[in-house]
Amino acid sequence: MDPNVDCDNEQDARDCTTASISSPFTAVPAVEPKPMAYEEWRVQVRSVCGRYSPEGVDPKTFAGSIRRASVWGCEAVVTSCDVHRVERTSRDVRLDGKEHYYAMLHLAGRTTMIQNDRVEELDAGDIALVDSMRPVTYIAENRPVRWLCVHVPRQSVIAHLGFEPEGGLCRRGQTPANRLFSHLIQDAVNECGPACASAEPYMQLAIYDLLGALFATSHLPSISSRTDKLFKQICNIVRDRFADPDLSPSQVATETGISLRYLQQLFSVRNSSYTHFIHSVRLDHAACLLHRRALLNTRQPINQIAYASGFSDYTHFARQFRRRFGHSAGAHGRD
């Protein structure tokens, strides 16, 4: 029996081996991970995935679980939690030195993933690719959420595919590649019988090939070194001038010497939009100011913080802030 699978007795083992998967979009691992305390969950996540920082967690009411598994020689983890926001910063990337991709099959709940200036809304059945070498943020809109993550060596994937997949992408729908990948990893996680060791190298290559089929960027010809440099210039302009409530995409396009339509395409091919990006920058700045307000007890009016962050409408700011962070602006930073 696979030591990575939690089959407590013979009946559990029989249940594992006979469990069937009716659809890659509704199936869940046959062996349910056991609930655990917050600190234990956090340590387990860091040991497998790297340094991540959950925010706004009450350890007394925390609900989560994690189970490690193996998918044809690749490390995998099935995890769930009711944490609203989890972030991996640039500092986390430097400190732990993790160099892998992981393909994340979203099993339950709804999550917003932000990586490489992309904003993706993940629902059950979606498959996302995350690059451990880049910062990433997860915001759970419907809690609890549950994922099945398969870790694959970054350099091995790049060497096999001949190109470097970009993190922050999501694939939806019942495409052949989606169905094959979902069944392949879920079957491996649910299987309690002995695996065929001689088949592992070939199955690993099958996983790499499916990742290539899912996340190849050949359908995005406008992403090149030149356009990537231009896109970064646009992002830098927004970061420098986000406090101006009148900063429009037309102004940014004019400043960079391109058309408004081309600017919109640069965001579109990255599965994002100008509005998503500037809202993200403004809300992050507002969150920092609110945290400072709570820390120093300055009693600065929250509407001033909203206006200083580039929002001209306080009601719109309050609604966007609650959607992004899961609580009101007035409650931010009180912990």
Side-chain angles (χ1 to χ4, degrees):
M1 185 179 297
D2 189 340
N4 292 319
V5 180
D6 299 336
C7 291
D8 293 331
N9 50 49
E10 293 183 3
Q11 182 60 47
D12 288 343
R14 287 194 294 272
D15 292 342
C16 291
T17 54
T18 57
S20 62
I21 298 177
S22 59
S23 164
F25 304 104
T26 58
V28 296
V31 181
E32 294 291 334
K34 298 177 181 178
M36 57 178 58
Y38 167 68
E39 188 59 28
E40 181 185 2
W41 176 85
R42 188 183 69 86
V43 170
Q44 287 289 328
V45 168
R46 287 197 167 195
S47 69
V48 179
C49 303
R51 294 174 61 93
Y52 281 84
S53 302
E55 295 183 5
V57 179
D58 183 353
K60 295 181 181 179
T61 60
F62 171 79
S65 62
I66 188 168
R67 178 168 65 90
R68 301 173 75 158
S70 178
V71 174
W72 297 108
C74 298
E75 191 172 33
V77 60
V78 181
T79 184
S80 65
C81 69
D82 61 356
V83 177
H84 176 70
R85 180 184 173 95
V86 181
E87 186 171 13
R88 177 172 169 82
T89 65
S90 298
R91 182 173 182 270
D92 293 327
V93 171
R94 291 194 305 270
L95 287 175
D96 67 25
K98 293 281 188 179
E99 294 190 19
H100 59 249
Y101 289 108
Y102 60 89
M104 182 173 71
L105 174 60
H106 206 282
L107 296 173
R110 179 178 296 170
T111 306
T112 298
M113 178 182 71
I114 305 170
Q115 187 174 58
N116 289 326
D117 295 324
R118 290 186 174 90
V119 181
E120 292 283 0
E121 307 290 338
L122 308 179
D123 285 307
D126 293 343
I127 300 172
L129 185 71
V130 182
D131 187 349
S132 69
M133 299 294 289
R134 301 299 299 273
V136 62
T137 300
Y138 303 100
I139 303 165
E141 299 182 17
N142 293 339
R143 291 174 279 175
V145 292
R146 193 175 185 199
W147 309 277
L148 195 172
C149 302
V150 180
H151 297 235
V152 290
R154 196 171 190 278
Q155 294 305 318
S156 297
V157 171
I158 295 172
H160 179 73
L161 296 179
F163 66 90
E164 183 175 355
E166 190 168 5
L169 293 172
C170 173
R171 293 294 177 258
R172 302 178 175 87
Q174 297 189 35
T175 65
N178 275 43
R179 289 195 298 269
L180 283 170
F181 189 82
S182 298
H183 279 306
L184 180 64
I185 63 175
Q186 290 190 88
D187 284 347
V189 168
N190 289 340
E191 182 59 56
C192 286
C196 180
S198 62
E200 280 192 357
Y202 304 101
M203 297 303 292
Q204 285 180 11
L205 296 182
I207 290 175
Y208 297 173
D209 285 332
L210 284 171
L211 290 178
L214 286 166
F215 299 107
T217 55
S218 58
H219 64 295
L220 302 177
S222 58
I223 295 183
S224 64
S225 58
R226 186 186 69 82
T227 57
D228 195 51
K229 183 178 180 179
L230 180 60
F231 182 71
K232 289 177 181 177
Q233 181 184 352
I234 292 169
C235 293
N236 287 335
I237 292 173
V238 173
R239 292 188 183 102
D240 289 340
R241 296 169 51 193
F242 67 88
D244 178 3
D246 297 323
L247 182 64
S248 68
S250 299
Q251 288 177 301
V252 177
T254 300
E255 189 166 332
T256 51
I258 61 175
S259 68
L260 174 60
R261 182 178 180 183
Y262 188 40
L263 180 142
Q264 293 169 335
Q265 287 177 344
L266 289 174
F267 279 97
S268 179
V269 298
R270 292 166 172 83
N271 295 317
S272 185
S273 69
Y274 175 88
T275 301
H276 265 303
F277 180 68
I278 196 168
H279 277 173
S280 177
V281 173
R282 286 170 171 168
L283 289 170
D284 282 342
H285 181 71
C288 290
L289 295 180
L290 288 166
H291 185 74
R292 180 177 180 272
R293 171 182 181 267
L295 186 66
L296 301 179
N297 195 24
T298 63
R299 300 184 183 277
Q300 180 184 10
I302 297 178
N303 62 344
Q304 288 185 8
I305 290 176
Y307 301 145
S309 302
F311 289 92
S312 58
D313 184 338
Y314 178 75
T315 302
H316 177 65
F317 161 75
R319 183 169 57 249
Q320 291 293 323
F321 193 94
R322 181 179 288 277
R323 183 177 184 273
R324 171 78 178 271
F325 295 100
H327 52 253
S328 68
H332 194 76
R334 288 178 182 174
D335 291 344

